[in-house]
Amino acid sequence: MGKIIAIANQKGGVGKTTTTVNLAASLGVLEKKVLLIDADPQANASSGLGIDVENVVKGTYQLLEHIITAKEAIQRTTSPNVDIIPAHIDLVAVEIELVDKVKREFKLREAIQSVKEDYDYILIDCAPSLGLLTLNALVAADSILIPIQCEYFALEGLGKLLNTVKSVQSIHNPDLDIEGLLLTMFDSRLRLSNQVVAEVKKHFQNMVFKTIIKRNTRLGEAPSYGESIIAYDATSRGAKNYLSLANELLKNNG
């Protein structure tokens, strides 16, 4: 039975997509079968794994509209053991189109039930908002992984996200867990980075992953080649960090 993890934070630029793509690739390398669902209209996770997003005709949009099945939407990627349901800019329209539908928050959950058994992990890359797309991801998920960048406004908006998680737990998905908080874009030379790490650990203690994702030029370069950091430069610090995260996730999940 696959575990579904939503990677979410309504703040942009915190490393959500980078984390989704590279955690998926790392789990794949560790011989886990992974499905990545791109639920962000920017479709960066799709292009980051080499999908031509301009020509996606079977993706998350069609899946949420229940025009196609999950099996029909799935594509192989060049990353070992990683499949994807890609996104296209047309996903933007879903928020408006689902508004008056019955059980609109459950569309993704219903759509992926049929493939849950086929994967060890299903990772959902969420849009940087708390709209209907992210809500669908949280209702479908078993847990949420929250990336937090080691910068000045790191904790801003986190309370709002945690309140959203609480309301999803009480109304739609009582089984939703917090997988953990992941510190990203860490620069050991900056006092601020170290202060943020200390503050997040003080507030959230065991909820914080031991692995910290350090700033790394190669991590930033990989998406422009349509590759994960594992494929682009397996010896880089970024690759080592994400492999460490994958191992920690597997250990936490027994």
Side-chain angles (χ1 to χ4, degrees), residues 9-238:
N9 189 331
Q10 78 273 29
K11 272 175 75 79
V14 298
K16 268 192 307 294
T17 301
T18 302
T19 295
T20 312
V21 167
N22 294 310
L23 177 57
S26 300
L27 287 166
V29 165
L30 297 170
E31 302 193 336
K32 296 295 169 191
K33 216 166 170 332
V34 184
L35 174 63
L36 191 160
I37 299 173
D38 194 346
D40 181 353
Q42 296 175 70
N44 291 339
S46 303
S47 59
L49 280 175
I51 302 290
D52 176 6
V53 294
E54 294 297 314
N55 294 313
V56 170
V57 289
K58 291 180 179 177
T60 317
Y61 173 79
Q62 289 78 11
L63 186 70
L64 284 165
E65 290 282 4
H66 290 206
I67 298 166
I68 57 170
T69 65
K71 278 200 168 72
E72 290 173 300
I74 291 169
Q75 293 188 31
R76 304 299 303 272
T77 72
T78 52
S79 213
N81 298 316
V82 180
D83 291 346
I84 189 168
I85 296 180
H88 181 276
I89 188 66
D90 61 8
L91 192 53
V92 165
V94 153
E95 302 250 332
I96 300 155
E97 289 168 19
L98 290 184
V99 155
D100 54 358
K101 295 268 169 76
V102 181
K103 296 182 80 175
R104 59 191 182 182
E105 301 91 351
F106 293 88
K107 293 294 181 190
L108 184 60
R109 185 180 187 158
E110 289 164 6
I112 60 177
Q113 281 307 315
S114 60
V115 296
K116 202 175 172 185
E117 303 286 338
D118 302 340
Y119 294 94
D120 297 306
Y121 288 93
I122 296 176
L123 306 182
I124 309 172
D125 186 33
C126 296
S129 77
L130 292 177
L132 199 47
L133 274 171
T134 300
L135 187 55
N136 261 275
L138 295 180
V139 172
D142 298 307
S143 65
I144 174 174
L145 188 158
I146 306 170
I148 298 175
Q149 86 282 39
C150 297
E151 284 169 9
Y152 187 64
F153 291 115
L155 296 175
E156 190 191 59
L158 189 60
K160 203 171 170 189
L161 178 61
L162 294 173
N163 283 338
T164 301
V165 170
K166 274 201 191 99
S167 82
V168 169
Q169 285 166 331
S170 63
I171 303 167
H172 304 296
N173 182 2
D175 301 324
L176 182 65
D177 261 334
I178 293 180
E179 190 69 42
L181 278 63
L182 175 69
L183 291 155
T184 63
M185 304 181 194
F186 176 77
D187 186 340
S188 56
R189 297 165 304 180
L190 299 178
R191 206 169 90 207
L192 180 63
S193 273
N194 292 295
Q195 283 170 342
V196 170
V197 170
E199 195 168 326
V200 171
K201 285 185 170 170
K202 188 179 88 185
H203 279 289
F204 298 101
Q205 295 161 355
N206 298 340
M207 285 164 65
V208 187
F209 282 104
K210 292 184 179 70
T211 303
I212 295 177
I213 309 299
K214 299 182 172 72
R215 274 202 183 279
N216 179 241
T217 315
R218 307 295 274 169
L219 261 182
E221 291 168 359
S224 60
Y225 293 90
E227 290 182 338
S228 72
I229 190 63
I230 308 296
Y232 181 64
D233 185 354
T235 62
S236 67
R237 182 193 277 170

Side-chain angles (χ1 to χ4, degrees), residues 238-250:
K240 286 172 185 159
N241 286 171
Y242 277 108
L243 278 166
S244 161
L245 175 65
N247 276 308
E248 189 175 345
L249 185 85
L250 293 177

